[in-house]
Amino acid sequence: MTGLSSFRCVACGMSFALAETRLACSSCGGLLDVVSNLRAFGRTGAAWRDLFDRRRAASPSEATRPFETSGVWRFREHVLPDLPEDGIVSKPEGATRLYAGGALGEELSLSRLFVKHEGENPTLSFKDRGMTVGVSWARASGFKTVACASTGDTSAALAAYAAEVPGMRAVVLLPQGKITDEQLGQALASGATTLGLDTDFDGCMRLVAELTAARPVFLLNSKNPVRIEGQKTIAWEAIQDLGWRVPDWIVVPVGNAGNLSAIGKGLREWLDLGVIGKKPRLAGIQASAADPFFQSYRRGFTERVTCVAGDTAASAIRIGAPVSHPKAEREIRFFEGVVESVTEAELLDAFALANRHGLAICPNSAVALAGAAKLRQAGVIREADLVVVVATAHALKFSGTMSAYHRGGGRLANPPRLLPATLDAILAALGEP
């Protein structure tokens, strides 16, 4: 079915055709949502659950097209129904594991903790969920060049998905020296035109907006409402992983606030369709060095705080002016959510602790984990609550941060020891006689 979707302004409600590939409202300048008439399919909530379960259970050997094993396109009618199936660009993505917290949860007093590990996507971050939709729509709309500003993960996903489309060029604008070598290497390896700029992410975001306004270039940051439609599927998939149980809390790290916005939007859509019957609470967590959304929340959202983001190991969320603030604020209000901030010591210890327990998550994910523990300590999250923490990327994108932590004397540091090349020295180090 086509013709089901349009854009709607978050601020004033004005609607626009999806074919216009807009990024903002022409009337008030507000952000846009993709709004789809999903009731037109005529399915009940139970029928949708049954369809999605059958797709999930299908063997990869039964798939004739890559997207049929994708955890994003499993929900394709709810993602972007106007996109023809033969236009989908998929690696495939999604279908990431939901890990029970186990001993990690017990150590954090979160006895019903689960971690949705988005670092298991093809480019090792959740951005692949959005990029499969964004690049697919760019191709369907006739664009030959796609671009983004990035703190690392967006550029890796953009470059990898654009490389799947013959003749498509990827352009990424990066704050010079402020992303990891691993993230930079991903964009370079996929053939993207990679521009390191002497500014921060917010400066890159301003310049990429100027570029896409001046030339026929499709912007694929979270300001693009089409791109974040794919990110709705994180929470959908987690709920399906739980046997259609809805968690009490979904905890998300916040940088540009696109993920929090997308997850909330997707949950509202499923509530409306009757796919789920319970409203979870949302928690958005920021690093204290870059926590404008938290500062806005502390003021009751009476003002939109921005800042110059400071240094933080959680570099992917080092953003001082979140583009998706209005959408994220809407979701926090609707889901009776909270916003919290954690210190560098708290996030780094959570980073080390999760990895020690076998969950190879990034420092940005550790922000959410540390925030969940902090909310539990404060009694906001209760002992019996079922909690899903969204881990946004893989630890291997931040191996330098991990090594520096363990060499630098952190609370959970496990530094290497240099020894003489003798058996006696090895036995002594092991405490053996």
Side-chain angles (χ1 to χ4, degrees), residues 96-408:
T96 58
R97 292 176 183 84
L98 182 71
Y99 291 93
L104 171 64
E106 295 294 337
E107 195 160 346
L108 296 174
S109 300
L110 294 165
S111 59
R112 301 181 71 202
L113 171 69
F114 290 85
V115 178
K116 185 64 169 167
H117 200 335
E118 291 300 291
E120 296 179 349
N121 274 290
T123 73
L124 307 184
S125 91
F126 77 92
K127 296 295 176 72
D128 295 345
R129 289 186 186 263
M131 215 54 74
T132 182
V133 181
V135 170
S136 296
W137 192 247
R139 181 171 74 167
S141 301
F143 284 87
K144 299 298 184 184
T145 304
V146 292
C148 71
S150 180
T151 52
D153 291 336
T154 303
S155 61
L158 174 81
Y161 279 82
E164 295 283 335
V165 182
M168 180 172 282
R169 182 182 190 184
V171 178
V172 299
L173 276 56
L174 306 171
Q176 181 64 32
K178 295 183 176 67
I179 72 169
T180 70
D181 286 344
E182 294 91 341
Q183 291 169 313
L184 175 61
Q186 287 183 287
L188 298 175
S190 294
T193 299
T194 305
L195 309 176
L197 305 181
D198 185 20
T199 184
D200 58 9
F201 169 81
D202 299 300
C204 290
M205 192 67 231
R206 183 179 63 255
L207 288 164
V208 78
E210 292 179 12
L211 170 64
T212 54
R215 295 290 186 272
V217 177
F218 196 65
L219 180 68
L220 279 173
N221 282 97
S222 58
K223 184 177 182 179
N224 186 323
V226 172
R227 198 205 85 180
I228 66 171
E229 288 299 284
Q231 292 163 218
K232 299 184 301 187
T233 61
I234 297 172
W236 293 347
E237 202 175 272
I239 290 169
Q240 190 180 22
D241 291 341
L242 289 167
W244 298 105
R245 286 181 298 165
V246 177
D248 297 295
W249 288 90
I250 298 176
V251 186
V252 186
V254 175
N256 225 12
N259 230 11
L260 182 63
S261 305
I263 286 170
K265 180 177 183 290
L267 291 168
R268 284 189 291 106
E269 290 170 348
W270 269 19
L271 283 164
D272 182 61
L273 288 171
V275 180
I276 57 175
K278 170 186 169 181
K279 186 165 73 171
R281 297 184 70 184
L282 295 182
I285 317 296
Q286 295 201 289
S288 59
D291 64 356
F293 191 63
F294 169 68
Q295 297 300 333
S296 299
Y297 170 79
R298 288 185 64 188
R299 292 163 172 78
F301 292 123
T302 56
E303 63 175 298
R304 181 175 175 177
V305 177
T306 60
C307 68
V308 176
D311 288 335
T312 174
S315 58
I317 55 174
R318 182 184 176 179
I319 296 170
V323 169
S324 296
H325 175 116
K327 293 183 179 181
E329 178 183 334
R330 174 186 65 187
E331 306 310 339
I332 288 293
R333 291 182 184 277
F334 181 86
F335 289 98
E336 301 171 30
V338 299
V339 185
E340 186 54 86
S341 176
V342 298
T343 66
E344 284 299 293
E346 288 170 335
L347 76 89
L348 284 169
D349 284 347
F351 175 49
L353 185 65
N355 280 273
R356 179 170 290 188
H357 281 282
L359 276 176
I361 66 171
C362 68
N364 317 291
S365 309
V367 167
L369 189 64
K374 199 168 186 176
L375 292 172
R376 173 70 190 97
Q377 291 165 7
V380 178
I381 294 177
R382 299 169 300 179
E383 182 178 1
D385 285 347
L386 176 60
V387 179
V388 172
V389 168
V390 177
T392 51
H394 200 282
L396 290 178
K397 288 196 172 198
F398 296 85
S399 59
T401 303
M402 185 181 296
S403 179
Y405 175 88
H406 287 291
R407 294 175 186 274

Side-chain angles (χ1 to χ4, degrees), residues 406-432:
H406 287 291
R407 294 175 186 274
R411 183 173 67 85
L412 299 174
N414 180 32
R417 286 176 280 178
L418 299 178
L419 303 174
T422 66
L423 176 59
D424 287 343
I426 293 170
L427 292 174
L430 297 176
E432 297 286 340

